[in-house]
Amino acid sequence: ILNVEQSPQSLHVQEGDSTNFTCSFPSSNFYALHWYRWETAKSPEALFVMTLNGDEKKKGRISATLNTKEGYSYLYIKGSQPEDSATYLCAPGGNAGGTSYGKLTFGQGTILTVHP
Amino acid sequence: DGGITQSPKYLFRKEGQNVTLSCEQNLNHDAMYWYRQDPGQGLRLIYYSQIVNDFQKGDIAEGYSVSREKKESFPLTVTSAQKNPTAFYLCASSILSGGDAEAFFGQGTRLTVV
């Protein structure tokens, strides 16, 4: 089983604070890294899919970076808003060796609560 | 509208009975996945399929079975052999890829064994 660690497990911040979470994954045989946002009573939705070392992606106030050599990714939220409250999931996708072609394995998630 | 549909939303089953959860997609995706979520845990992969008539075990396949007879459909059967079946089940789909394709999720089915 692929070991995917997300930290912290939960986070409470005030509206306007900036915050970040970490996703750690095995760096060997890396293929892709996904970030998803899962709001209560909704389905998870993709934020980013990254494949290149040093990749940095941005969507509004949310951005993510990727380090495939050391096996981690950071997700940043600038100026958190109450609507950012959700569980944020990361998932390494597949592996370069081919034995897990197409497999998407999720971490346990970081639960973010933004207080008004 | 294209999407992925899971039914039912809530399901109750008596201990010892098999139950089948439905997952249908009209996104023309080749790949489909089943995940389970337990309180305080992330999504754990049960089975996934890259193509019709083929599927692979995920990390927690014991006590579950699947079929992929049609591209649009990937039903999951929770058998009586599954020791702790009460959980939230999510189905997802994506285009065929090595693992870099965005996954689209259904709304989930909450299964309770009574």
Side-chain angles (χ1 to χ4, degrees):
Chain A
I1 296 179
L2 201 62
N3 188 25
V4 184
E5 298 283 341
Q6 289 190 247
S7 62
Q9 282 195 323
S10 65
L11 195 54
H12 290 257
V13 301
Q14 291 297 128
E15 183 174 353
D17 288 349
S18 292
T19 186
N20 65 86
F21 334 127
T22 304
C23 173
S24 301
F25 52 87
S27 57
S28 59
N29 296 325
F30 173 82
Y31 191 81
L33 193 282
H34 300 228
W35 280 102
Y36 290 81
R37 174 168 59 201
W38 191 2
E39 296 177 68
T40 302
K42 294 186 178 179
S43 305
E45 289 184 341
L47 288 171
F48 308 110
V49 180
M50 297 184 286
T51 56
L52 299 175
N53 184 44
D55 216 357
E56 186 169 335
K57 296 210 170 181
K58 188 173 180 181
K59 186 183 285 189
R61 293 179 292 98
I62 304 177
S63 60
T65 61
L66 178 65
N67 183 323
T68 62
K69 294 187 188 310
E70 295 180 41
Y72 64 84
S73 176
Y74 293 138
L75 188 80
Y76 301 92
I77 303 179
K78 185 177 177 182
S80 303
Q81 299 297 308
E83 58 265 30
D84 295 328
S85 297
T87 298
Y88 291 82
L89 299 164
C90 75
N95 76 10
T99 56
S100 296
Y101 185 86
K103 188 178 180 182
L104 198 59
T105 303
F106 284 85
Q108 80 277 20
T110 292
I111 302 170
L112 173 67
T113 305
V114 182
H115 299 279
Chain B
D1 281 330
I4 181 163
T5 303
Q6 290 186 242
S7 61
K9 194 171 180 180
Y10 298 95
L11 191 54
F12 294 87
R13 164 197 122 175
K14 289 185 180 178
E15 202 166 336
Q17 288 181 338
N18 291 356
V19 63
T20 298
L21 282 58
S22 169
C23 179
E24 304 276 331
Q25 54 96 2
N26 59 5
L27 300 167
N28 200 32
H29 286 168
D30 286 296
M32 296 188 75
Y33 307 82
W34 273 106
Y35 292 92
R36 168 185 171 138
Q37 190 201 29
D38 294 283
Q41 297 199 34
L43 299 177
R44 292 186 290 166
L45 182 64
I46 305 171
Y47 270 98
Y48 63 113
S49 168
Q50 295 283 298
I51 198 167
V52 174
N53 293 322
D54 189 42
F55 45 83
Q56 291 77 41
K57 291 182 179 179
D59 299 320
I60 55 164
E62 187 176 347
Y64 298 97
S65 66
V66 293
S67 63
R68 189 82 189 278
E69 296 176 4
K70 297 187 300 182
K71 188 176 184 178
E72 309 79 45
S73 178
F74 191 39
L76 174 75
T77 297
V78 185
T79 75
S80 55
Q82 168 50 233
K83 299 271 188 270
N84 187 18
T86 295
F88 184 70
Y89 293 86
L90 266 178
C91 179
S93 70
S94 73
I95 62 171
L96 185 63
S97 79
D100 57 349
E102 172 187 339
F104 293 80
F105 287 84
Q107 296 277 359
T109 293
R110 187 166 297 281
L111 173 64
T112 303
V113 174
V114 296

PDB file of all heavy atoms in Angstrom, chain B residues 64-84:
ATOM      1  N   TYR B  64     -15.229  -7.660  -1.273  1.00  0.00           N
ATOM      2  CA  TYR B  64     -15.907  -6.901  -2.317  1.00  0.00           C
ATOM      3  C   TYR B  64     -15.727  -7.595  -3.672  1.00  0.00           C
ATOM      4  O   TYR B  64     -14.763  -8.320  -3.875  1.00  0.00           O
ATOM      5  CB  TYR B  64     -15.327  -5.488  -2.442  1.00  0.00           C
ATOM      6  CG  TYR B  64     -15.460  -4.636  -1.218  1.00  0.00           C
ATOM      7  CD1 TYR B  64     -14.394  -4.513  -0.318  1.00  0.00           C
ATOM      8  CD2 TYR B  64     -16.631  -3.937  -0.940  1.00  0.00           C
ATOM      9  CE1 TYR B  64     -14.503  -3.729   0.811  1.00  0.00           C
ATOM     10  CE2 TYR B  64     -16.747  -3.140   0.187  1.00  0.00           C
ATOM     11  CZ  TYR B  64     -15.680  -3.047   1.059  1.00  0.00           C
ATOM     12  OH  TYR B  64     -15.792  -2.264   2.178  1.00  0.00           O
ATOM     13  N   SER B  65     -16.674  -7.350  -4.577  1.00  0.00           N
ATOM     14  CA  SER B  65     -16.500  -7.788  -5.953  1.00  0.00           C
ATOM     15  C   SER B  65     -17.056  -6.724  -6.879  1.00  0.00           C
ATOM     16  O   SER B  65     -17.909  -5.916  -6.490  1.00  0.00           O
ATOM     17  CB  SER B  65     -17.193  -9.139  -6.206  1.00  0.00           C
ATOM     18  OG  SER B  65     -18.595  -9.003  -6.093  1.00  0.00           O
ATOM     19  N   VAL B  66     -16.538  -6.700  -8.109  1.00  0.00           N
ATOM     20  CA  VAL B  66     -16.994  -5.725  -9.106  1.00  0.00           C
ATOM     21  C   VAL B  66     -17.152  -6.415 -10.445  1.00  0.00           C
ATOM     22  O   VAL B  66     -16.697  -7.529 -10.643  1.00  0.00           O
ATOM     23  CB  VAL B  66     -15.993  -4.553  -9.263  1.00  0.00           C
ATOM     24  CG1 VAL B  66     -15.932  -3.688  -8.014  1.00  0.00           C
ATOM     25  CG2 VAL B  66     -14.619  -5.073  -9.658  1.00  0.00           C
ATOM     26  N   SER B  67     -17.794  -5.711 -11.363  1.00  0.00           N
ATOM     27  CA  SER B  67     -17.866  -6.152 -12.752  1.00  0.00           C
ATOM     28  C   SER B  67     -17.764  -4.915 -13.627  1.00  0.00           C
ATOM     29  O   SER B  67     -18.068  -3.800 -13.191  1.00  0.00           O
ATOM     30  CB  SER B  67     -19.162  -6.912 -13.030  1.00  0.00           C
ATOM     31  OG  SER B  67     -20.280  -6.072 -12.836  1.00  0.00           O
ATOM     32  N   ARG B  68     -17.317  -5.119 -14.857  1.00  0.00           N
ATOM     33  CA  ARG B  68     -17.240  -3.986 -15.794  1.00  0.00           C
ATOM     34  C   ARG B  68     -17.657  -4.509 -17.170  1.00  0.00           C
ATOM     35  O   ARG B  68     -16.859  -4.674 -18.084  1.00  0.00           O
ATOM     36  CB  ARG B  68     -15.815  -3.433 -15.829  1.00  0.00           C
ATOM     37  CG  ARG B  68     -15.707  -2.134 -16.612  1.00  0.00           C
ATOM     38  CD  ARG B  68     -16.090  -0.926 -15.864  1.00  0.00           C
ATOM     39  NE  ARG B  68     -16.180   0.266 -16.660  1.00  0.00           N
ATOM     40  CZ  ARG B  68     -15.161   1.036 -17.025  1.00  0.00           C
ATOM     41  NH1 ARG B  68     -13.924   0.706 -16.692  1.00  0.00           N
ATOM     42  NH2 ARG B  68     -15.365   2.120 -17.731  1.00  0.00           N
ATOM     43  N   GLU B  69     -18.936  -4.761 -17.301  1.00  0.00           N
ATOM     44  CA  GLU B  69     -19.476  -5.310 -18.546  1.00  0.00           C
ATOM     45  C   GLU B  69     -19.751  -4.219 -19.569  1.00  0.00           C
ATOM     46  O   GLU B  69     -19.800  -4.475 -20.772  1.00  0.00           O
ATOM     47  CB  GLU B  69     -20.734  -6.116 -18.258  1.00  0.00           C
ATOM     48  CG  GLU B  69     -20.475  -7.346 -17.389  1.00  0.00           C
ATOM     49  CD  GLU B  69     -21.745  -8.085 -17.023  1.00  0.00           C
ATOM     50  OE1 GLU B  69     -22.838  -7.680 -17.506  1.00  0.00           O
ATOM     51  OE2 GLU B  69     -21.672  -9.039 -16.247  1.00  0.00           O
ATOM     52  N   LYS B  70     -19.969  -3.005 -19.091  1.00  0.00           N
ATOM     53  CA  LYS B  70     -20.210  -1.855 -19.970  1.00  0.00           C
ATOM     54  C   LYS B  70     -19.294  -0.723 -19.549  1.00  0.00           C
ATOM     55  O   LYS B  70     -18.965  -0.576 -18.370  1.00  0.00           O
ATOM     56  CB  LYS B  70     -21.653  -1.390 -19.864  1.00  0.00           C
ATOM     57  CG  LYS B  70     -22.691  -2.391 -20.302  1.00  0.00           C
ATOM     58  CD  LYS B  70     -24.079  -1.779 -20.317  1.00  0.00           C
ATOM     59  CE  LYS B  70     -24.495  -1.286 -18.947  1.00  0.00           C
ATOM     60  NZ  LYS B  70     -25.873  -0.721 -18.958  1.00  0.00           N
ATOM     61  N   LYS B  71     -18.930   0.098 -20.494  1.00  0.00           N
ATOM     62  CA  LYS B  71     -18.045   1.226 -20.213  1.00  0.00           C
ATOM     63  C   LYS B  71     -18.668   2.168 -19.190  1.00  0.00           C
ATOM     64  O   LYS B  71     -17.979   2.755 -18.357  1.00  0.00           O
ATOM     65  CB  LYS B  71     -17.772   1.980 -21.509  1.00  0.00           C
ATOM     66  CG  LYS B  71     -16.728   3.070 -21.424  1.00  0.00           C
ATOM     67  CD  LYS B  71     -16.485   3.660 -22.797  1.00  0.00           C
ATOM     68  CE  LYS B  71     -15.382   4.677 -22.775  1.00  0.00           C
ATOM     69  NZ  LYS B  71     -15.105   5.221 -24.133  1.00  0.00           N
ATOM     70  N   GLU B  72     -20.000   2.326 -19.243  1.00  0.00           N
ATOM     71  CA  GLU B  72     -20.670   3.318 -18.411  1.00  0.00           C
ATOM     72  C   GLU B  72     -20.892   2.869 -16.973  1.00  0.00           C
ATOM     73  O   GLU B  72     -21.245   3.671 -16.124  1.00  0.00           O
ATOM     74  CB  GLU B  72     -22.048   3.648 -19.001  1.00  0.00           C
ATOM     75  CG  GLU B  72     -22.055   4.016 -20.464  1.00  0.00           C
ATOM     76  CD  GLU B  72     -21.976   2.815 -21.383  1.00  0.00           C
ATOM     77  OE1 GLU B  72     -22.695   1.818 -21.140  1.00  0.00           O
ATOM     78  OE2 GLU B  72     -21.182   2.858 -22.323  1.00  0.00           O
ATOM     79  N   SER B  73     -20.739   1.564 -16.710  1.00  0.00           N
ATOM     80  CA  SER B  73     -21.219   1.036 -15.442  1.00  0.00           C
ATOM     81  C   SER B  73     -20.140   0.242 -14.711  1.00  0.00           C
ATOM     82  O   SER B  73     -19.425  -0.569 -15.325  1.00  0.00           O
ATOM     83  CB  SER B  73     -22.426   0.139 -15.733  1.00  0.00           C
ATOM     84  OG  SER B  73     -22.909  -0.427 -14.555  1.00  0.00           O
ATOM     85  N   PHE B  74     -20.053   0.450 -13.392  1.00  0.00           N
ATOM     86  CA  PHE B  74     -19.051  -0.255 -12.589  1.00  0.00           C
ATOM     87  C   PHE B  74     -19.673  -0.573 -11.227  1.00  0.00           C
ATOM     88  O   PHE B  74     -19.347   0.047 -10.212  1.00  0.00           O
ATOM     89  CB  PHE B  74     -17.816   0.636 -12.447  1.00  0.00           C
ATOM     90  CG  PHE B  74     -16.595  -0.038 -11.882  1.00  0.00           C
ATOM     91  CD1 PHE B  74     -16.241  -1.332 -12.222  1.00  0.00           C
ATOM     92  CD2 PHE B  74     -15.750   0.663 -11.016  1.00  0.00           C
ATOM     93  CE1 PHE B  74     -15.098  -1.927 -11.715  1.00  0.00           C
ATOM     94  CE2 PHE B  74     -14.597   0.074 -10.505  1.00  0.00           C
ATOM     95  CZ  PHE B  74     -14.273  -1.216 -10.853  1.00  0.00           C
ATOM     96  N   PRO B  75     -20.565  -1.545 -11.146  1.00  0.00           N
ATOM     97  CA  PRO B  75     -21.230  -1.829  -9.871  1.00  0.00           C
ATOM     98  C   PRO B  75     -20.310  -2.530  -8.875  1.00  0.00           C
ATOM     99  O   PRO B  75     -19.450  -3.338  -9.261  1.00  0.00           O
ATOM    100  CB  PRO B  75     -22.386  -2.764 -10.287  1.00  0.00           C
ATOM    101  CG  PRO B  75     -21.943  -3.367 -11.581  1.00  0.00           C
ATOM    102  CD  PRO B  75     -21.083  -2.348 -12.264  1.00  0.00           C
ATOM    103  N   LEU B  76     -20.503  -2.225  -7.628  1.00  0.00           N
ATOM    104  CA  LEU B  76     -19.727  -2.803  -6.536  1.00  0.00           C
ATOM    105  C   LEU B  76     -20.644  -3.646  -5.661  1.00  0.00           C
ATOM    106  O   LEU B  76     -21.676  -3.165  -5.204  1.00  0.00           O
ATOM    107  CB  LEU B  76     -19.112  -1.689  -5.682  1.00  0.00           C
ATOM    108  CG  LEU B  76     -18.384  -2.134  -4.403  1.00  0.00           C
ATOM    109  CD1 LEU B  76     -17.034  -2.748  -4.741  1.00  0.00           C
ATOM    110  CD2 LEU B  76     -18.191  -0.938  -3.452  1.00  0.00           C
ATOM    111  N   THR B  77     -20.276  -4.911  -5.447  1.00  0.00           N
ATOM    112  CA  THR B  77     -21.031  -5.769  -4.543  1.00  0.00           C
ATOM    113  C   THR B  77     -20.269  -5.911  -3.234  1.00  0.00           C
ATOM    114  O   THR B  77     -19.094  -6.289  -3.234  1.00  0.00           O
ATOM    115  CB  THR B  77     -21.285  -7.147  -5.165  1.00  0.00           C
ATOM    116  OG1 THR B  77     -22.095  -6.980  -6.341  1.00  0.00           O
ATOM    117  CG2 THR B  77     -22.028  -8.066  -4.199  1.00  0.00           C
ATOM    118  N   VAL B  78     -20.952  -5.590  -2.164  1.00  0.00           N
ATOM    119  CA  VAL B  78     -20.402  -5.782  -0.827  1.00  0.00           C
ATOM    120  C   VAL B  78     -20.925  -7.127  -0.351  1.00  0.00           C
ATOM    121  O   VAL B  78     -22.137  -7.313  -0.182  1.00  0.00           O
ATOM    122  CB  VAL B  78     -20.845  -4.660   0.120  1.00  0.00           C
ATOM    123  CG1 VAL B  78     -20.171  -4.802   1.475  1.00  0.00           C
ATOM    124  CG2 VAL B  78     -20.539  -3.291  -0.486  1.00  0.00           C
ATOM    125  N   THR B  79     -20.053  -8.067  -0.192  1.00  0.00           N
ATOM    126  CA  THR B  79     -20.494  -9.416   0.145  1.00  0.00           C
ATOM    127  C   THR B  79     -20.543  -9.619   1.650  1.00  0.00           C
ATOM    128  O   THR B  79     -20.019  -8.803   2.426  1.00  0.00           O
ATOM    129  CB  THR B  79     -19.560 -10.473  -0.474  1.00  0.00           C
ATOM    130  OG1 THR B  79     -18.338 -10.509   0.262  1.00  0.00           O
ATOM    131  CG2 THR B  79     -19.276 -10.172  -1.940  1.00  0.00           C
ATOM    132  N   SER B  80     -21.122 -10.726   2.047  1.00  0.00           N
ATOM    133  CA  SER B  80     -21.221 -11.036   3.474  1.00  0.00           C
ATOM    134  C   SER B  80     -19.841 -11.318   4.069  1.00  0.00           C
ATOM    135  O   SER B  80     -19.690 -11.357   5.291  1.00  0.00           O
ATOM    136  CB  SER B  80     -22.148 -12.234   3.688  1.00  0.00           C
ATOM    137  OG  SER B  80     -21.709 -13.338   2.926  1.00  0.00           O
ATOM    138  N   ALA B  81     -18.846 -11.513   3.215  1.00  0.00           N
ATOM    139  CA  ALA B  81     -17.489 -11.758   3.701  1.00  0.00           C
ATOM    140  C   ALA B  81     -16.789 -10.486   4.163  1.00  0.00           C
ATOM    141  O   ALA B  81     -15.751 -10.551   4.830  1.00  0.00           O
ATOM    142  CB  ALA B  81     -16.652 -12.402   2.591  1.00  0.00           C
ATOM    143  N   GLN B  82     -17.350  -9.345   3.840  1.00  0.00           N
ATOM    144  CA  GLN B  82     -16.758  -8.072   4.277  1.00  0.00           C
ATOM    145  C   GLN B  82     -17.083  -7.900   5.757  1.00  0.00           C
ATOM    146  O   GLN B  82     -18.252  -7.773   6.143  1.00  0.00           O
ATOM    147  CB  GLN B  82     -17.309  -6.915   3.432  1.00  0.00           C
ATOM    148  CG  GLN B  82     -17.008  -5.515   3.937  1.00  0.00           C
ATOM    149  CD  GLN B  82     -15.555  -5.265   4.257  1.00  0.00           C
ATOM    150  OE1 GLN B  82     -15.222  -4.820   5.359  1.00  0.00           O
ATOM    151  NE2 GLN B  82     -14.685  -5.546   3.322  1.00  0.00           N
ATOM    152  N   LYS B  83     -16.047  -7.839   6.570  1.00  0.00           N
ATOM    153  CA  LYS B  83     -16.215  -7.871   8.031  1.00  0.00           C
ATOM    154  C   LYS B  83     -16.863  -6.607   8.596  1.00  0.00           C
ATOM    155  O   LYS B  83     -17.582  -6.661   9.578  1.00  0.00           O
ATOM    156  CB  LYS B  83     -14.848  -8.066   8.695  1.00  0.00           C
ATOM    157  CG  LYS B  83     -14.154  -9.355   8.318  1.00  0.00           C
ATOM    158  CD  LYS B  83     -14.541 -10.491   9.237  1.00  0.00           C
ATOM    159  CE  LYS B  83     -13.708 -11.731   8.991  1.00  0.00           C
ATOM    160  NZ  LYS B  83     -14.307 -12.595   8.012  1.00  0.00           N
ATOM    161  N   ASN B  84     -16.585  -5.488   7.994  1.00  0.00           N
ATOM    162  CA  ASN B  84     -17.066  -4.221   8.538  1.00  0.00           C
ATOM    163  C   ASN B  84     -17.559  -3.342   7.393  1.00  0.00           C
ATOM    164  O   ASN B  84     -16.884  -2.379   7.010  1.00  0.00           O
ATOM    165  CB  ASN B  84     -15.944  -3.530   9.317  1.00  0.00           C
ATOM    166  CG  ASN B  84     -16.438  -2.309  10.043  1.00  0.00           C
ATOM    167  OD1 ASN B  84     -17.633  -2.127  10.256  1.00  0.00           O
ATOM    168  ND2 ASN B  84     -15.519  -1.450  10.417  1.00  0.00           N
TER     169      ASN B  84
END
